[in-house]
Amino acid sequence: MSFLSNPVYSIDPSKKSLEEIERILKDNPQIKFVSLMGVDLGGNTTDAKIPIKIFLEDIEEFLRQGVQTDGSSVVLPEIATLGDAKVDLLPDSQSNWIVDYNYDHPYDGKHYVGTLRIPAFLVHNGKFVDSRSILKRALSFFEKKVKEVMESNPHLLANLGIEKVSDIESFLFTAATELEFWVKTPEDSEDIEQLSTSQNLKEQYWKRTQGTVRTALEKTIEIMGRYGIEPEMGHKEVGGVNSTIGVNGEQNHVLEQLEIDWKYSDALQAGDNEILVRELVQDTFTSFGLEVTFAAKPIEEVAGSGEHTHMGVAAKLKNGNTINLFSPKNLKEDYLSLIGYGGLLGLLNNYEVINPFVTSSTDAFNRLKPGFEAPVCTVASLGNDVKNPSRNRSVLVGLIRDLDNPMATRFELRSPNPLSNTYLVMASSYQGMLDGILAIKHIYDPQLLENELSKSAQTEGVYLEQNRQYRCEQDIFKDFSVHERDSLFGKTPETVWENFNHFDKHEKKSATLLNGDVFTESLISSFKTATLDRWKEELLHRIIPSNMDIIRSFTKSHNIEDTTDLDVVRWEKITKLKNYLVKDSLEQSSLFTRLRDSLNENNLKKASELQKEMDCIMAELRNLYASYKRNII
């Protein structure tokens, strides 16, 4: 990949007239296509090559009408059905447009063929049904309702140092994500023990990158800058092992975990930027012969990949000033403003119905396990002391503060992964925050809200649930047993079905998502159907077959000459577990057979229980076989 010229990389249509846009495109004839990027409920993006001349024939009409597509090919079950599949792709004229260059397709000696990618909305029967439109509605509704509650509760304004609602020009929803991912040379297999040891010794974290990985990382960061994304950092993460150099001088056996961070932007643009960065990483590293995975837990027993999501809200005043709605007037006296406390309380109290949008796959649940710095409890940290901000990496939500910068105050949701649908994560989170703000609107004293957040599990809350603790400044993993965590912070779901069952178990919290028609019952049902169908398919056709392959690889290695009684005992245990998982008999079906039957019969509750049992036995079997092999000469 090389850059032969300095072409246009992005267009901000909100700052340019149609005439200017037309001139830019005519001055850059290498832009041969236009594509509308809609994002369905599964987080998938559309990409259709439309000749640019069609766009140039009547730009205004194209932006007004968009194009039609077959909605049965996107993830909108129960909405875009086979009998009613027409979906309109409507361009978003307020978002940033980017030019996607194909570095395998030269246009001339100076340029490559480019596609103008325009973020879009998906419209079915006159209703906006895509992920981007859900987030847009959430932001609009949040601003409307918070302004209303400020109007009727002026103490909320006074707590922020704002005189009256009419002084506010607009709200600014700032958001940022960070991208962790694994890269490897094709067809190389991982050594779990080496990876685990390297992780425990912290041999890779923040170390200097080398060879093709270094070049690909630098290229990616360079290209991000060309698109105006403003990269802040790229570095090694905790996972990985050292590569080797072959006889031909090429880097071999690459297996590394990396992270790229970039500057915050408004919430909708943050979602668009994340998609672009994922595509840049994929294209760039692939061009260097490296495989990329954004899976949450690509390698068992090694650190997974997270995507911490930062969210904040500010008010832009008509006098030009900007006030962070989450920051207190005095950063050394209070952790948060009244609205900030309400937002955090709402995020925690409603997390049962936010979590399905965050953690929607078995892969995602595999990451959220103790021992890998991934959150397992619905609990937040404010910091050990209001005058000394700290960072607790073991909690679900961290409060980010800077005593010298009130604009830095924000919430860090630590549970998302690179394949979470960021638009829906943020939309559901802002809906939850709004519920908390509305619930505390009558409270004048921030200390009362800090007490509410800091209550013990035995204390009845004004807004939060009794028998639950929501704040912790200790290490969740080291300072509490599993039983203590479940007792204090609530038992968290372990499977996709358990997570989505919360929509039915917590009807009042589910109704929070429906406020303002941000989500609708049909959209939630469509998302639920799509996700549970994927869960079933992955169990049937990926997870069970993969486990079968693992079990078949566990073969007998000891013989009469060098065996010990311990070898015999261990192998008997291994054989018993293998048979329980796989082998049917006249008297009893194997666990795998019972799991398949439950899924095919749509008995999802039973399938969920069997999946948990399968995961537990597979972990026991892997550990037992590793011990068995270590004792073989």
Side-chain angles (χ1 to χ4, degrees), residues 410-451:
R410 62 192 185 275
F411 303 141
E412 178 191 35
L413 184 63
R414 298 180 56 82
S415 50
N417 66 80
L419 295 180
S420 295
N421 186 331
T422 295
Y423 303 98
L424 300 186
V425 170
M426 290 193 288
S428 56
S429 294
Y430 279 114
Q431 285 288 91
M433 291 183 214
L434 177 59
D435 182 68
I437 293 168
L438 297 178
I440 60 89
K441 62 185 179 182
H442 60 285
I443 295 178
Y444 285 72
D445 186 359
Q447 186 59 51
L448 294 179
L449 296 178
E450 184 185 339
N451 294 342

Side-chain angles (χ1 to χ4, degrees), residues 369-371 373-376 393-394 475-480 485:
K369 293 180 179 179
E373 295 187 356
V376 296
R393 295 174 57 83
S394 69
D475 188 320
I476 297 296
F477 307 115
K478 293 183 178 180
D479 297 334
F480 301 91
R485 287 197 296 264

Side-chain angles (χ1 to χ4, degrees), residues 494-508:
E494 298 178 60
T495 70
V496 173
W497 181 84
E498 284 186 352
N499 205 12
F500 277 73
N501 197 42
H502 281 166
F503 284 136
D504 298 323
K505 287 178 62 178
H506 302 278
E507 292 184 5
K508 184 177 179 181

Side-chain angles (χ1 to χ4, degrees), residues 266-510:
D266 72 78
L268 199 57
Q269 188 63 54
D272 294 347
N273 287 347
E274 180 197 316
I275 289 174
L276 174 57
V277 174
R278 276 209 311 260
E279 292 173 345
L280 293 178
V281 167
Q282 187 79 58
D283 291 347
T284 306
F285 280 82
T286 300
S287 73
F288 284 92
L290 296 169
E291 290 183 357
V292 177
T293 178
F294 300 111
K297 192 74 168 181
I299 305 172
E300 193 72 29
E301 299 179 29
V302 181
S305 295
E307 188 179 74
H308 304 158
T309 301
H310 297 247
M311 293 170 283
V313 190
K316 182 181 178 182
L317 305 185
K318 294 176 181 177
N319 63 9
N321 293 333
T322 301
I323 303 293
N324 188 333
L325 297 188
F326 291 167
S327 284
K329 283 195 293 186
N330 190 327
L331 290 163
K332 294 184 178 181
E333 290 185 358
D334 295 304
Y335 289 104
L336 288 160
S337 66
L338 293 171
I339 286 178
Y341 274 118
L344 182 54
L345 290 168
L347 184 58
L348 294 168
N349 191 53
N350 290 287
Y351 193 69
E352 285 92 346
V353 296
I354 295 171
N355 195 15
F357 300 105
V358 176
T359 311
S360 57
S361 68
T362 298
D363 173 51
F365 274 105
N366 287 341
R367 170 179 166 261
L368 302 180
K369 293 180 179 179
F372 298 99
E373 295 187 356
V376 296
C377 301
T378 303
V379 64
S381 166
L382 297 181
N384 291 317
D385 184 87
V386 71
K387 296 181 181 179
N388 297 289
S390 58
R391 297 285 290 273
N392 186 338
R393 295 174 57 83
S394 69
V395 297
L396 173 73
V397 185
L399 173 62
I400 310 299
R401 302 171 65 235
D402 183 341
L403 296 182
D404 297 320
N405 180 13
M407 295 308 298
T409 305
R410 62 192 185 275
F411 303 141
E412 178 191 35
L413 184 63
R414 298 180 56 82
S415 50
N417 66 80
L419 295 180
S420 295
N421 186 331
T422 295
Y423 303 98
L424 300 186
V425 170
M426 290 193 288
S428 56
S429 294
Y430 279 114
Q431 285 288 91
M433 291 183 214
L434 177 59
D435 182 68
I437 293 168
L438 297 178
I440 60 89
K441 62 185 179 182
H442 60 285
I443 295 178
Y444 285 72
D445 186 359
Q447 186 59 51
L448 294 179
L449 296 178
E450 184 185 339
N451 294 342
E452 172 78 358
L453 183 65
S454 307
K455 76 177 189 67
S456 68
Q458 292 74 36
T459 304
E460 183 176 356
V462 176
Y463 171 68
L464 297 176
E465 293 182 13
Q466 191 176 3
N467 301 322
R468 292 273 299 276
Q469 181 176 321
Y470 290 88
R471 178 186 176 185
C472 183
E473 304 302 338
Q474 298 169 264
D475 188 320
I476 297 296
F477 307 115
K478 293 183 178 180
D479 297 334
F480 301 91
S481 66
V482 174
H483 174 72
E484 288 171 333
R485 287 197 296 264
D486 290 346
S487 299
L488 290 173
F489 311 119
K491 186 170 176 56
T492 56
E494 298 178 60
T495 70
V496 173
W497 181 84
E498 284 186 352
N499 205 12
F500 277 73
N501 197 42
H502 281 166
F503 284 136
D504 298 323
K505 287 178 62 178
H506 302 278
E507 292 184 5
K508 184 177 179 181
K509 295 179 181 181
S510 294

Side-chain angles (χ1 to χ4, degrees), residues 70-129:
D70 179 1
S72 62
S73 60
V74 296
V75 179
L76 291 170
E78 303 174 357
I79 295 175
T81 61
L82 288 176
D84 187 13
K86 185 178 80 70
V87 171
D88 295 322
L89 280 164
L90 188 64
D92 183 355
S93 298
Q94 298 303 308
S95 64
N96 193 43
W97 303 350
I98 64 102
V99 181
D100 177 19
Y101 285 102
N102 182 356
Y103 296 106
D104 292 324
H105 189 180
Y107 169 68
D108 55 22
K110 297 181 179 179
H111 304 90
Y112 296 95
V113 170
T115 298
L116 179 65
R117 296 197 71 190
I118 302 177
F121 303 110
L122 300 176
V123 183
H124 181 262
N125 290 337
K127 297 179 180 179
F128 289 78
V129 293

Side-chain angles (χ1 to χ4, degrees), residues 39-89:
V39 184
D40 65 21
L41 296 182
N44 307 300
T45 60
T46 60
D47 182 27
K49 301 292 183 184
I50 303 169
I52 198 70
K53 66 178 183 179
I54 295 178
F55 182 71
L56 290 172
E57 284 172 359
D58 192 339
I59 297 178
E60 187 173 7
E61 181 69 7
F62 188 96
L63 295 178
R64 186 177 66 83
Q65 278 198 326
V67 297
Q68 293 181 5
T69 188
D70 179 1
S72 62
S73 60
V74 296
V75 179
L76 291 170
E78 303 174 357
I79 295 175
T81 61
L82 288 176
D84 187 13
K86 185 178 80 70
V87 171
D88 295 322
L89 280 164

Side-chain angles (χ1 to χ4, degrees), residues 17 30 36 257 278 330 345 347 358 399 544 596 622:
S17 65
Q30 76 276 7
L36 297 182
Q257 188 184 31
R278 276 209 311 260
N330 190 327
L345 290 168
L347 184 58
V358 176
L399 173 62
I544 293 177
R596 289 192 194 96
R622 279 191 292 266

